[in-house]
Amino acid sequence: MHSAWRKLASLLAILLPLVTLTGVAHSTAAEPVFEGPVPPATCGPGSVPEHGLQGEVPKADRDSGRSRLGYHCNLELVGQYQGEGQSWQNAWYGHCDYFNTVFPGRERRPGVQVVDVSDPAHPRLTVTLTTPAMLGPHESLKVNQRRGLLGAVAAWSPAGNEPVFFDVYDLTADCAHPVLRASVPLNMPIGHEGNWAPDGLTYYSASTLVRFISAIDVTNPSAPRLLTVLPQESHGLSVSDGGTRMYVANPDGFDGGTVGCHVGTPLPQTNSQSCLNGLDILDVSAIQSRANLPIFSRPVVVGSLRWTDGSEAQHTIPITYHGHPYLVSVDEAGSGSPFNPQGPAGAARIIDIGDEIRPVVVSKLKLAIQMPSEASLQLADAAGDGVFGYQGHYCTVDGENDPTALACGYFQSGIRVFDIRDPREPREIAYYNPPAQMGKKAELAGSEHANGYAWLGTVLNTDWCTSQVRFVQDPPSLWAACQDNGLMIVSFTNGVYPLPQLAVSPQVVRSSRTTSVQPLSPTVGASAPD
């Protein structure tokens, strides 16, 4: 089946008409973009701070073994469940956490680990989920908080996962013992990433390997069904609160709704940046309303944005400030395209989408070690510890409306926490880079970093922090899963969090020029945004 979907993707790249989307442009901000580095955290008592550049684990610390002690600033460890290590994703519901392990692997307990965190100082494993998609979900493991559903799709692996299963568990009765509602094979491309629409009625599977997004109807969790498949490149994605807009992290620029090109294809003069890494905004109102769609339908691209100082766009988070819409977008790899993990490092950025046809980057949340000027140092530090160095991966906000903080897993830089009350002027407030697990490779059969199929030979002189991070308000803390250290509960110290809300949001005042959405051309066929 994989080969059939690949052939179809190749055919579409040739046959899709090169239609120019009226109104799509790559505009520049009237104000300068904050390029970074973000101002570093001021570490209070009890911290064990970095002593290299911000975010760096110096080679000397790796060689001497100093990195085994880790580094932390205004965060301290409360409790931990390491297990056999962790893979790419982490999710949560109530007092429970869920993380996946390597597939195929040699774990004693493979599959999604269900951890009870009702006592944060002593998190404990309750069960493992071993239905087909839960054995190898890669980055697709996601919880819909409104309906209490945990979902995932079978993701690509060397062992193969055909047929492609979609699994759904109900968490509402007892989050520590999820109830299986469905584990069904669907006639769709193999997965990689994915996400829920906020209402929990649709799950979108993103098939980076073969450039498709599959929409799955989960209205009845016991009987999921495939709605339609979009020919659209996507790594991660998110969906607007009303379900009508999809925000696609597009790592190579291919889409089936406008130009259909990808890296290496001659670029149409009408959209000269369309094949670069970046963001696409899709109108998915037809899917949300359950229109009678064919099994294969062209996406409606409303707007797009491309950039060259990062690659392998990883995921997006929709947020608002005083009602004005923004996105957080994160790059998994370094500058240039295609995939270039070794630098200069990619990171998170904040994008103003008040004019969704012409999104604008307003700031980049780069650490000092991630700056282009430090590319050679990035490479030297990370040599021998896998293909990823100091890149970004997943971030989480402490609220979708008027967020105050953003927590990110930045691979070898650990967990970084930023004050984003003003999206144009982010600053760092805390970090936790856990102890390196050198010499423990055999004990970490479930760690992607230690024993994943693509990263064999890593020396484990740092950890890889790559998953979503949970904010907990009482007490102020984070749940973070890193690949060698597993799940960690870390508590804020020195009063750095929570952050008070700003009475007046300065970025909204400065952004008033884009508070109204530009009308779409009637030929585009896009509905009004939420």
Side-chain angles (χ1 to χ4, degrees):
M1 186 184 295
H2 298 347
S3 60
W5 281 110
R6 289 194 193 99
K7 289 177 182 177
L8 182 55
S10 300
L11 184 62
L12 283 167
I14 297 170
L15 297 180
L16 279 173
L18 300 181
V19 178
T20 301
L21 182 62
T22 304
V24 170
H26 302 275
S27 58
T28 57
E31 300 177 37
V33 176
F34 175 76
E35 296 285 348
V38 294
T42 301
C43 300
S47 299
V48 179
E50 301 161 334
H51 53 267
L53 291 178
Q54 178 193 31
E56 183 192 12
V57 180
K59 188 176 186 300
D61 284 13
R62 300 165 188 254
D63 293 345
S64 69
R66 164 63 186 82
S67 61
R68 294 183 184 186
L69 301 177
Y71 313 84
H72 57 93
C73 172
N74 303 329
L75 283 168
E76 63 182 12
L77 183 67
V78 173
Q80 181 177 9
Y81 174 75
Q82 185 174 24
E84 299 175 85
Q86 184 253 357
S87 186
W88 295 107
Q89 195 52 280
N90 187 48
W92 51 85
Y93 184 81
H95 61 270
C96 300
D97 189 87
Y98 313 92
F99 65 82
N100 59 323
T101 57
V102 167
F103 179 78
R106 298 183 297 276
E107 309 98 298
R108 296 187 305 277
R109 295 182 297 272
V112 170
Q113 315 289 295
V114 180
V115 183
D116 186 335
V117 197
S118 52
D119 178 359
H122 302 94
R124 62 184 183 87
L125 181 72
T126 58
V127 296
T128 58
L129 308 181
T130 58
T131 46
M134 294 294 163
L135 286 172
H138 203 71
E139 296 164 346
S140 72
L141 184 72
K142 302 291 171 63
V143 168
N144 179 263
Q145 297 294 331
R146 295 185 192 177
R147 298 186 70 195
L149 297 176
L150 174 68
V153 294
W156 179 86
S157 76
N161 294 50
E162 294 184 305
V164 181
F165 274 78
F166 175 61
D167 294 354
V168 185
Y169 285 79
D170 189 336
L171 311 176
T172 56
D174 178 2
C175 67
H177 297 87
V179 176
L180 179 64
R181 292 301 185 201
S183 180
V184 295
L186 297 176
N187 185 21
M188 65 183 188
I190 196 73
H192 181 101
E193 231 274 15
N195 210 348
W196 294 91
D199 62 12
L201 300 178
T202 310
Y203 182 93
Y204 291 96
S205 170
S207 304
T208 308
L209 185 67
V210 288
R211 296 194 179 112
F212 289 106
I213 298 173
S214 303
I216 304 169
D217 184 351
V218 200
T219 304
N220 179 356
S222 298
R225 64 186 181 92
L226 183 64
L227 289 171
T228 191
V229 177
L230 307 176
Q232 168 74 43
E233 173 69 23
S234 175
H235 207 162
L237 57 88
S238 59
V239 181
S240 64
D241 191 57
T244 65
R245 290 292 186 270
M246 180 185 290
Y247 307 110
V248 174
N250 189 333
D252 75 2
F254 175 89
D255 71 73
T258 54
V259 298
C261 63
H262 54 89
V263 173
T265 300
L267 306 182
Q269 307 239 335
T270 53
N271 197 357
S272 61
Q273 289 187 310
S274 62
C275 297
L276 299 175
N277 177 76
L279 163 72
D280 288 329
I281 301 176
L282 306 186
D283 179 355
V284 291
S285 55
I287 296 173
Q288 177 68 13
S289 66
R290 297 298 189 263
N292 187 21
L293 293 171
I295 194 62
F296 195 84
S297 52
R298 177 187 292 182
V300 179
V301 183
V302 176
S304 60
L305 180 67
R306 302 290 185 253
W307 52 83
T308 58
D309 62 337
S311 60
E312 287 300 301
Q314 176 63 47
H315 79 125
T316 61
I317 309 170
I319 56 177
T320 65
Y321 292 91
H322 292 250
H324 187 91
Y326 289 80
L327 285 177
V328 176
S329 179
V330 189
D331 287 328
E332 181 183 18
S335 64
S337 187
F339 185 66
N340 177 23
Q342 287 292 8
R349 66 190 68 217
I350 299 178
I351 302 170
D352 185 336
I353 59 169
D355 179 350
E356 63 177 2
I357 300 175
R358 301 173 182 83
V360 176
V361 174
V362 299
S363 62
K364 301 172 185 178
L365 285 77
K366 292 189 176 183
L367 308 174
I369 189 60
Q370 294 172 324
M371 298 302 289
S373 59
E374 306 300 339
S376 59
L377 183 58
Q378 296 167 28
L379 185 61
D381 283 346
D385 203 27
V387 300
F388 292 103
Y390 298 114
Q391 292 78 19
H393 204 238
Y394 278 95
C395 297
T396 310
V397 290
D398 63 350
E400 294 177 355
N401 299 313
D402 300 314
T404 67
L406 178 77
C408 296
Y410 270 9
F411 275 96
Q412 295 188 32
S413 293
I415 304 300
R416 318 301 295 204
V417 187
F418 305 98
D419 176 349
I420 59 166
R421 289 175 295 174
D422 184 342
R424 284 179 166 77
E425 297 181 2
R427 65 184 183 91
E428 188 178 51
I429 60 171
Y431 58 80
Y432 189 89
N433 199 348
Q437 301 295 295
M438 284 185 280
K440 297 183 178 180
K441 190 181 184 74
E443 302 169 35
L444 299 172
S447 164
E448 194 79 45
H449 180 213
N451 287 290
Y453 64 88
W455 329 113
L456 297 178
T458 53
V459 295
L460 306 189
N461 57 28
T462 65
D463 201 344
W464 282 4
C465 295
T466 59
S467 302
Q468 298 179 113
V469 180
R470 182 182 191 177
F471 279 93
V472 176
Q473 298 299 320
D474 185 19
S477 54
L478 301 173
W479 296 7
C482 297
Q483 295 194 3
D484 300 337
N485 278 273
L487 176 66
M488 295 166 288
I489 291 79
V490 293
S491 178
F492 286 99
T493 62
N494 301 309
V496 300
Y497 185 86
L499 294 162
Q501 286 283 355
L502 298 179
V504 177
S505 189
Q507 75 285 346
V508 171
V509 174
R510 291 199 299 267
S511 298
S512 59
R513 60 184 173 80
T514 58
T515 53
S516 62
V517 176
Q518 299 297 316
L520 295 173
S521 164
T523 61
V524 175
S527 71
D530 300 330

